[in-house]
Every structure is written in structure tokens, then in C-alpha cells.
Amino acid sequence: MIEKLADLQPIMLLVMLVLMYSIESVWPYLRRPVNRWRHDWRNFVVSIISFVVNGFIGLGVVTFVQQTEMSRWGVMNLLGVGDGVKIVLGVLLLDLADYVSHNLQHRIAFLWLFHRVHHSDPNLNATSSLRFHPVDVVVAQGVAMCVAVLVFGIPMVAVIIYGTLGLLLLVPQHSNFRMPDWVERYVSWVFVTPGWHKIHHSSDQRQTDSHFCDVFTFWDRIFGTWHRVKPDEIKYGLEEFGEDRQHRVGYLMLSPFKKLRAGGPRK
Ligand SMILES: [Zn+2]
């Protein structure tokens, strides 16, 4: 049953993309890009690249988790934690690992050079969801997850549940869409909502360097990395990506190796 969920993930992603893109086309929340088709087309091409890389990384992670599970490595296996608890703790620990790795992607200058491709979009919509540099995908989806699985002994079921939750939330978080304020307020006590995540895409560095969580908001709340800002008061994108040519696919892919005029790697 759970394994079937893993097979359905690409279809779920596609359904979410089509659904959110349709909703934001009819009821946009924020101002649309000046040239929407050009913006969406560029993001679409970057998304195809990151989707393919993600697929390969996913296969690698699955093999790695199977090996770790068979070898019974990790803290939870050493402590003899029961299967049910291992799944619940595993999902939470994967999210904590994601929080830590996302934090490092902002704090380590070398990692930021790749991660900033995702942050450079000045007009968030559904097509921004997969706007990632391939190297960024390897760090965030591959390395961080494998380290967490190895250290804590996280089972495959937890990896699949966490991956599915992350995927279902990813597209709404970036879409040009607004949930009713009361829904946003209550849901964000547990899950990362569209309003919660958009603050992470602000051009104000204090806000960019906060709201690191991807699935649960617990870690941002526990470590105090969150702000109260309305999405329609935010200026999105990065100052150093102020020209249209900098959003071409080729430029985005090579941007980690370019010295940009304003901003540059964060300290
Ligand atoms: Zn980020």
C-alpha cells in the first residue's frame, strides 16, 4: 500500500501543478509577471531538468534506504524502537534533517550559490515549485536524506510518507494563491502553508534566512526562525537577479559560477 504511494508520486506532482496553475490563472493573489508566458516557460524548462535529476536521486535514495534497513544501522535500530514509533519519529526526523540542510544551504556560501537559483524568482507561482539548480537537488533531496536515514535508522515507510507530504505541500506553497486567513492561521500551527513559505522567498535577507521548514512548522517555531509578514507586503526574488536576461535557463544553470554585481553569496 505505502509502496504504491511512492509509485504515484510523479502523478501527484503533475496533478498538483495542473490544479494550482489553473486556480492561480483564474484567481491570482499577487501581481503576475510582466511577461507571464516567458516566466512560466523558463521555469518549466528548469523544472524538467530538476525533475529528471530528482528521479535519479530518488532511485539512489531508495537503494540506500533498503541497504540501511537490511543492515539495521542507526540510533533507532540500536535502541530497539518499535516499528510504529520508528515511522512517526522517522517522518519528524526527516523534516528536522531537511530544516538543518536548508539552513546550511543559506549559511554556507558555496551551497547558497546553487540554492539562490530557487530564490531568484521575483514572481512566485506554481511554476516556481521546481525551479531548482540540479546541484541544489542533490544536496537537499539526496545527501541530507541519506545522512538522516543512516544516523537515525529511518525506515522506508517513513521516507515514502515524508516524501509524499512534502510533494503535496510543495506546489501550493509556491503558487500565486491565497487560503482564507483563518485556514492559514490554524493549518500553519502544524504544516507549512502558502503564506508561511512565501516569507522565505522575500528579498529582505532577514526574511529569506527564516521559514526554513518544508513540511512541519515546528522547527521554525522551536528555533525562532519565523516572522509575521503578509505575502502581499513582500518584495520577492533577489537583488542580484534584477535583469531579465538573468532568468534565462542557461544563465540560471551557470549562475553559481558567475560573480553577480549586487548581493553575491551571503555571509
Ligand atoms: Zn531557501
Side-chain angles (χ1 to χ4, degrees):
M1 168 68 186
I2 292 290
E3 280 74 15
K4 279 228 162 25
L5 211 56
D7 296 338
L8 288 173
Q9 283 183 357
I11 298 166
M12 285 184 201
L13 180 62
L14 194 66
V15 169
M16 289 306 288
L17 282 168
V18 172
L19 178 71
M20 295 314 301
Y21 193 77
S22 306
I23 293 174
E24 67 188 15
S25 297
V26 182
W27 298 289
Y29 175 25
L30 307 166
R31 203 154 48 89
R32 285 174 169 155
V34 177
N35 191 331
R36 185 181 170 203
W37 301 116
R38 189 165 58 196
H39 167 270
D40 294 358
W41 171 249
R42 287 168 174 172
N43 278 353
F44 176 72
V45 177
V46 177
S47 299
I48 296 289
I49 298 169
S50 80
F51 182 80
V52 171
V53 173
N54 220 325
F56 283 112
I57 295 297
L59 290 175
V61 169
V62 166
T63 311
F64 187 84
V65 179
Q66 282 168 341
Q67 290 298 325
T68 314
E69 216 167 7
M70 277 195 300
S71 317
R72 300 194 62 77
W73 282 338
V75 176
M76 291 199 288
N77 286 320
L78 288 174
L79 294 176
V81 175
D83 286 348
V85 178
K86 222 156 58 170
I87 293 170
V88 175
L89 279 181
V91 170
L92 292 173
L93 288 168
L94 282 170
D95 201 43
L96 176 61
D98 184 77
Y99 174 89
V100 173
S101 81
H102 196 174
N103 218 300
L104 294 177
Q105 283 166 291
H106 281 244
R107 290 180 198 280
I108 299 175
F110 173 74
L111 296 180
W112 171 251
L113 292 175
F114 297 94
H115 186 57
R116 68 180 175 182
V117 169
H118 182 58
H119 281 270
S120 62
D121 196 339
N123 297 99
L124 284 190
N125 70 8
T127 68
S128 316
S129 310
L130 291 175
R131 178 179 163 135
F132 287 100
H133 193 284
V135 174
D136 201 26
V137 176
V138 174
V139 173
Q141 308 301 323
V143 178
M145 203 172 245
C146 287
V147 169
V149 166
L150 185 67
V151 171
F152 299 114
I154 298 171
M156 179 70 86
V157 176
V159 172
I160 295 173
I161 293 173
Y162 182 70
T164 308
L165 280 173
L167 190 144
L168 290 173
L169 293 172
L170 176 75
V171 184
Q173 285 167 359
H174 295 90
S175 296
N176 188 4
F177 143 88
R178 179 184 192 172
M179 294 204 308
D181 286 346
W182 67 272
V183 179
E184 176 77 43
R185 198 166 47 245
Y186 287 116
V187 176
S188 68
W189 275 105
V190 178
F191 292 108
V192 177
T193 54
W196 183 274
H197 187 70
K198 283 193 177 62
I199 298 165
H200 184 66
H201 284 267
S202 164
S203 61
D204 179 335
Q205 192 178 345
R206 287 165 305 167
Q207 293 166 8
T208 324
D209 292 345
S210 67
H211 292 248
F212 295 110
C213 291
D214 280 333
V215 172
F216 302 111
T217 53
F218 309 139
W219 314 114
D220 275 325
R221 291 188 189 278
I222 290 170
F223 297 112
T225 49
W226 67 286
H227 298 275
R228 219 182 284 274
V229 189
K230 284 190 169 172
D232 52 1
E233 293 169 353
I234 293 171
K235 182 173 179 274
Y236 294 94
L238 295 173
E239 205 189 316
E240 60 264 42
F241 281 80
E243 296 172 39
D244 179 71
R245 66 178 181 89
Q246 294 179 295
H247 297 274
R248 289 181 191 147
V249 177
Y251 191 97
L252 289 173
M253 291 299 111
L254 294 174
S255 65
F257 313 102
K258 291 179 190 284
K259 228 178 163 52
L260 303 185
R261 244 179 293 148
R266 298 184 170 204
K267 304 290 185 291

